[in-house]
Every structure is written in C-alpha cells, then in structure tokens.
Amino acid sequence: MSGFAQRCGVHDAAREQSVARLARRLSEQGIELVRFAWCDLHGVLRGKTLVASAAERALREGVGMVSTLMLKDTSDRTAFQVFEPGGTATLPGFGFANNLLLLADPDSFRQLPWTAATGWLRAQPWFEDGTPVELDTRRVLQRALAKLADAGYTLRCGLEVEFHIYKLQDAQPSLDPMQAAWPGPAPAVSLVHPGYNLLAEGWFDLAEEPLRIVQHTAQSLGLPLLSLEVELGPSQVEAVFEATDALTAADNMVLFRNAVKMALRRAGYHATFMCRPPFPNIMSSGWHLHQSLCDARTGRNAFLREAPAPGTDTNDAAHTLSEVGASYLAGLLHHARGMTVFCTPTANGFGRFRPNALAPQSVLWGRDNRGAMVRVIGGCGDAATRIENRIGEPAANPYLYFASQVHAGLDGIARGLKPPRATDAPYAGGGESLPTSLGEALAALADDAVLCDAFGRDFVAYFSRIKQSEQQRFAAAEDIDEFQRREYFGRF
C-alpha cells in the first residue's frame, strides 16, 4: 500500500530524495527531537514533537493532530460544538474532535538555535482520506497566489514589524498552580527602554541584549533580517526584513514571531506582538506591509512607471504607478473595510486607528505619507517602487493578511479601478472611516461580496464564527483591560 504522502499526491521522487537527505542530516548533526509545526488561524505555531528516529516515517505517513485545533478562538476555546448533533455541519470532515494528519515539507527544516539538538519542520493539515484541509490559512494564501499567477503576476513583500520586548520580573511567569486560569494571568514585566526618544542610540544600547537575541535567532534561522530599531513607545522595537516572494515572506513572519518569543523567554524576556500592550502611555505597534507585483515572465516590477502619465501631478497615482499599479492601489482602497479584519484581527488592534498616531483612520492613500492607510513609495524609473499598506497589526495571520491584498488588488486590476487623488490631510475626515471594532470589521467583511467569494464563502463563515466568539467574550468582559492582558499580552 502506498504511503500517505503519496496518496495525497505530494510525494514524488524529488521529495523522496529530500526526505532521505534530511534523515542523514538528522543523524549527522545529532538531532534528537523534531518539531512538526503548523500555523493556526491566529498565526500561532502548534504541532507535535517527535524523536528524531520517528521523523522520517512521519514525513511519509503524517503526524496525527486533533481537528479542534483548527476551531479555536484566541483563548483556545473551541468555537464549534463538536460533540453536539449538527455542531460541525458546516465543516465537512470535522466532528467529534476527529484526527487530521500533518504532512511536513522536508525542505523547510531548521535547527533551532535556542535549544539543544532540536529541529523544526513546517507542516500543513490533510484529511485522513488524503484530501487537503482547505480551511488551512497557508492554503488560503496559496490559492490566492495561484489566481495571481493566472493573471500573469507574482507578489513580493517586505516586512516592517513593530513589537514590544519586556524584561520578565519572574523567571517562571504564570506557573503558580494556584493562579492557573483560562487564559492564565499575564506575566509581570519591566521595560527594556523608557521610550519617547525615537531611534536614540542610547536607548538601543539599553535594549541591546534582547535585540541581540532577536538578531541571532533570526539570522540562525536564515531569515533575511535587515535592521533592528528602537521605536517611539516604551519597550517598543522594530524589525525590518528584505523583500521576498509572498509565500516565503509569510512563512518567515510566522517563524520569526514564534521563534523570538521562545528565544527571548529563555533569556528572561517577554516579547509581545499584541498591538496595544495593557499599560498606560504605550504606543501601538503596526505591521506595515510593503508589496509590489512582478511580471511572472520577466520578473520586472509591474508597478514601475518610466515617466509620469501626461497631465498628472504628484497627487495622481498615475504620476508614480503604472496602470496596473494604480488599479491594484484602487482595489486595496475599494476593499479596505472588508479586508480590515484580516489585517487587524484582534479586538485589541482597533485602538490603534486614531489621529496623528502614524496609523490610519480613513480609507485614503498618500504619496510617501505615513498618516494615510496606503503609502506609495518610489518614483518613475525606480525599480523599488511599491505600495505600503499600514492597516495591519503585528498579531495578524500573515497568510490571511497577504491573501486579502491579492484578492483586493486583483479585483482592482480586473475592473480597471482608478484611485482618487492622494490625500494631504489623512486625519481631516476625508474618505470612508476604517472599522473601529472587531464586530464592525466582521460586518464589513460580510458586506464585501467580492472578498467573500474570493476567500470562499465556507472559509469566511468559518473564520467569522471563530472571531465572533472572541468579540462576544470581549464585549461581555467585566474588566476589558484584564481580558486583554490574559487574552493577548501573555499569548501573542
């Protein structure tokens, strides 16, 4: 009988060679444990840890995973009644906490730098009959990129990610059994720099120890880190990465975010990608997504314009962007409200959308304008011309964030949409307002028929059900700050 990976249609001679190479590598490098990791709906890595001698078989036969892991909200509560009649009627293949199987990519192997003799593999879930689990968010992005390829383009993305690093006051936070709860208490922390001194070299020096851990972790994992910076807020920092193809960029973001949290925790620090940590006088963290389309045949930047369109000025998109780029930009604006919940998916993240905070409030674009939702960077003849969407929070699932850009941009191109003129006053009240709550963002998605069809109605219903669970608990919380401390600060 053929192996499970063969029945899934993913195991061929090339993959067999990769599996054999990896088996030799595990032996030669003295690897003892291998983590088979999968990215959940919320961008968090979960999975199974196998002894190295079991890894080769698991690459061919899969690793069992309970299906309810795909049905969890941000508190880890299952949002569907899996043991009730009809509780998973809208989720074919799910029910009664049945098994899924994780198949890992042998070429994704990394040796983890913060723990001894441990390897890591990226995996995706399959049903036991050998069919893919289409609700998996990495597959959502893969489908979006396939549509983009059909249109003749590839997507390149650069990551610019703000987050916070704190010093743990207790080396073993939240491990008192008398304090255990669901979710548990947030860790007690202190600052690594006092903030309000943007890019100050002295503040970088204060935070150098944890930032060195971030640097070494990222580089040891082969991630294309470019810079580490001290941001404006207390204990706030930023990491910037070189642009790559979109799927690689999304994979890198998942790995980076989860890896630095673990590496820093072992050194006595707490990293959080929560947008607004639960303290007074903090600054919100954003995830600014730089993106450009490339011609799939030539690799040329499809946003590049050699000369301004006749009769335009700098506030016209066609002064800087090609027709394709301008229509892509118009698609992002047209679907901005509907896409928001994929870019800012937590109840906490909507506190970022406020005036004069280097975060957007309205559906507007600007020429190198950091107050606008979308910032156009570059100029005629500049091969680095790109669009920066500033709507995201650093806790977003990167596969869904990127997929929302693809679907919105493709609709703009397909319909030849034209963007309005650029804004010079992003906080003056022009343009549609962005959603101001998770509930409003979910409603905006439901109203966007194009995005719902592009993501698939089944996926949108599944995603919305899980996010509504979070929103309902947030709305019912007696102490909103304590809810956010437990729900996000300690876990994201």
Side-chain angles (χ1 to χ4, degrees), residues 30-180:
I31 300 297
E32 299 173 359
L33 298 172
V34 181
R35 300 181 185 180
F36 284 64
W38 160 75
C39 177
D40 74 6
L41 184 70
H42 312 290
V44 175
L45 284 177
R46 302 176 186 255
K48 295 283 189 75
T49 300
L50 278 63
V51 296
S53 60
E56 185 176 359
R57 173 179 169 79
L59 283 162
R60 296 188 179 94
E61 301 298 338
V63 179
M65 176 185 89
V66 62
S67 63
T68 52
L69 282 178
M70 294 195 66
L71 310 180
K72 301 289 189 182
D73 67 12
T74 46
S75 72
D76 222 52
R77 290 173 170 84
T78 303
F80 292 80
Q81 299 298 320
V82 299
F83 296 111
E84 298 295 328
T88 55
T90 60
L91 301 171
F94 289 81
F96 309 110
N98 62 312
N99 233 25
L100 304 174
L101 289 170
L102 291 174
L103 274 179
D105 176 2
D107 294 330
S108 68
F109 179 80
R110 305 285 206 283
Q111 183 167 352
L112 299 183
W114 64 85
T115 185
T118 301
W120 180 94
L121 290 165
R122 183 184 61 250
Q124 288 181 259
W126 296 74
F127 291 115
E128 289 185 318
D129 66 0
T131 56
V133 180
E134 298 294 351
L135 297 179
D136 172 50
T137 59
R138 192 170 190 267
R139 284 198 176 91
V140 170
L141 177 57
Q142 289 171 316
R143 291 196 300 272
L145 294 174
K147 289 183 179 179
L148 190 63
D150 289 342
Y153 302 105
T154 62
L155 177 66
R156 286 183 63 79
C157 293
L159 311 181
E160 183 182 328
V161 188
E162 296 168 348
F163 59 107
H164 290 79
I165 301 174
Y166 296 92
K167 181 73 173 176
L168 288 168
Q169 293 182 356
D170 184 343
Q172 295 292 332
S174 307
L175 297 185
D176 179 355
M178 300 301 293
Q179 299 296 317

Side-chain angles (χ1 to χ4, degrees), residues 180-198:
W182 190 356
V189 297
S190 55
L191 300 174
V192 299
H193 72 77
Y196 305 115
N197 205 358
L198 181 64

Side-chain angles (χ1 to χ4, degrees), residues 406-450:
V406 171
H407 291 313
L410 272 178
D411 184 58
I413 293 170
R415 294 200 284 152
L417 298 180
K418 304 297 183 185
R421 285 174 61 80
T423 183
D424 288 325
Y427 301 116
E432 277 190 293
S433 295
L434 289 168
T436 58
S437 70
L438 178 55
E440 185 183 347
L442 287 168
L445 172 61
D447 288 340
D448 192 319
V450 169

